[in-house]
Amino acid sequence: RAAATAVLSLQPDPALDVLSELVKYSVLDFASDRYRLHDLTRLFASTRLPEAERHEAQKRHAAHYADLLGQANQLYLKGGDSIQQGLSLFELEWRNIEAGQGWAAAHTGEDDEAAKACNWYAGQWNLLYLRLHSRQYIQWLNAALVAARRIKNRQAEGAHLTNLGIAWADLGETRKAIEFYEQALAIDREIGDRRGEGANLNNLGIAYAALGETRKAIEFYEQALVIRRDAKHGDRRGEGIALGNLGSAYYSLGETRKAIEFYEQQLQIAREIGNSRGEGDALMGIGNAHDNLGESRKAIGFYEQALPIFHEIG
């Protein structure tokens, strides 16, 4: 109903009157709190809709589902019980989210409102990273990068470059990822985005670790950790990620006890802020470390704690 109200561009009560009238004459079906237009009815209505009116309706649809995706992402970021609420909302509305982003991306070059929506869709990266394949997310990010540049949003431009780096890294294109991180880092420093700077220093660390340059990776992680612990620009989620990456780096160097210390700090932060994914990652890291030390029973205990967390968030 909220989406229909947005597309109709009416207040809730008048919109409900319209919807109820259409249901009364069986033009719309209503079940489980959802309205559905029959395919043939949709096709007939589409032939009668002027192009200018269609454009405005699709723009309102895209804007509504951009907002809804933002709500789902914020629920996920709240942690705890809200994680599942955010994931469920995303999955319930996925077809509409995908359609809204597709329309916004197709019209970015000609419409500032479409560009703003396209930019916003790709910016909800926490959920998208968990649910989209990297190649699809790269398509979203390329469109969003064009959009951010059109509306002259340098912070968003930097964020999209960052996420392009992450997506390419996930596909094994580490050198390509580094190029994107370095472009993003330059923008972060230019505009004074300390949180973005911390994220990209961390990402560069991950990239160099993947290339086997572990000592260089640690230098980047340590720089990132300083920024993320900064009292003015503190980022607890980011701090936990940097600690976990330091744990992984020392683990790969064979300094297993030191790795456990970092993983334990990551685990404490993840539990404090309700970051389930971070909690699962930390538990896995600690389990791997104990397994490496020959403490298999202890390792199993940590793996058994991690498994239901990963199962819950999918």
Side-chain angles (χ1 to χ4, degrees):
R1 184 177 298 167
T5 299
V7 173
L8 289 165
S9 191
L10 293 172
Q11 292 298 313
D13 287 346
L16 178 57
D17 291 342
V18 171
L19 293 169
S20 298
E21 191 76 1
L22 293 172
V23 170
K24 175 182 173 183
Y25 289 103
S26 300
V27 176
L28 274 182
D29 292 327
F30 178 72
S32 303
D33 238 13
R34 310 284 287 187
Y35 294 91
R36 180 174 175 81
L37 193 64
H38 190 282
D39 290 347
L40 291 176
T41 312
R42 182 184 293 109
L43 183 63
F44 174 76
S46 183
T47 65
R48 301 299 184 94
L49 187 65
E51 193 54 42
E53 195 171 331
R54 183 195 311 276
H55 181 89
E56 290 304 313
Q58 288 175 323
K59 182 190 296 188
R60 291 192 291 268
H61 176 276
H64 175 80
Y65 280 100
D67 287 343
L68 185 139
L69 176 59
Q71 293 168 27
N73 195 55
Q74 285 304 309
L75 281 168
Y76 175 80
L77 285 173
K78 278 177 69 177
D81 294 339
S82 297
I83 288 175
Q84 201 56 50
Q85 294 175 36
L87 291 171
S88 296
L89 181 60
F90 177 87
E91 282 151 9
L92 176 66
E93 299 291 2
W94 168 239
R95 286 182 62 193
N96 280 299
I97 291 167
E98 190 175 33
Q101 186 278 336
W103 181 89
H107 292 83
T108 286
E110 66 205 44
D111 188 314
D112 281 355
E113 293 303 314
K116 289 176 184 176
C118 182
N119 176 64
W120 180 258
Y121 272 104
Q124 311 311 303
W125 73 269
N126 302 87
L127 268 184
L128 298 176
Y129 183 79
L130 199 63
R131 286 293 184 260
L132 294 192
H133 188 280
S134 295
R135 294 205 179 276
Q136 184 177 10
Y137 194 28
I138 285 168
Q139 292 176 356
W140 282 40
L141 288 164
N142 283 331
L145 192 58
V146 172
R149 287 169 175 165
R150 176 185 172 91
I151 60 177
K152 297 179 172 57
N153 187 334
R154 291 285 276 165
Q155 186 169 22
E157 182 183 352
H160 299 325
L161 288 165
T162 298
N163 290 326
L164 277 164
I166 293 170
W168 282 112
D170 284 343
L171 294 173
E173 299 275 0
T174 308
R175 292 289 178 192
K176 195 167 187 175
I178 287 172
E179 291 175 14
F180 282 110
Y181 296 146
E182 287 176 342
Q183 292 178 62
L185 184 60
I187 291 175
D188 295 332
R189 286 172 170 167
E190 174 194 327
I191 65 175
D193 181 358
R194 292 281 282 170
R195 180 168 290 202
E197 183 181 356
N200 280 302
L201 288 166
N202 188 69
N203 290 330
L204 283 164
I206 294 170
Y208 282 107
L211 293 172
E213 300 182 38
T214 310
R215 291 292 177 191
K216 191 170 184 178
I218 287 172
E219 291 176 13
F220 282 112
Y221 293 147
E222 288 175 342
Q223 291 177 64
L225 188 59
V226 168
I227 290 173
R228 287 171 154 179
R229 281 177 167 168
D230 184 287
K232 185 177 179 182
H233 303 281
D235 175 7
R236 293 287 277 166
R237 182 180 289 264
E239 181 183 350
I241 291 169
L243 288 163
N245 288 333
L246 280 164
S248 297
Y250 282 108
Y251 176 82
S252 71
L253 291 173
E255 299 185 36
T256 312
R257 294 289 180 195
K258 193 166 186 178
I260 289 173
E261 292 175 14
F262 283 111
Y263 286 137
E264 286 175 342
Q265 292 178 67
Q266 178 193 18
L267 181 61
Q268 181 180 348
I269 290 173
R271 285 174 169 166
E272 281 176 14
I273 66 174
N275 178 5
S276 290
R277 185 175 173 189
E279 182 180 357
D281 287 343
L283 290 164
M284 279 289 291
I286 297 169
N288 290 339
H290 283 295
D291 191 42
N292 184 258
L293 292 169
E295 301 171 358
S296 300
R297 289 287 177 197
K298 203 165 187 178
I300 288 169
F302 286 103
Y303 294 146
E304 287 177 337
Q305 293 178 66
L307 185 60
I309 293 172
F310 290 130
H311 185 265
E312 182 188 0
I313 64 175

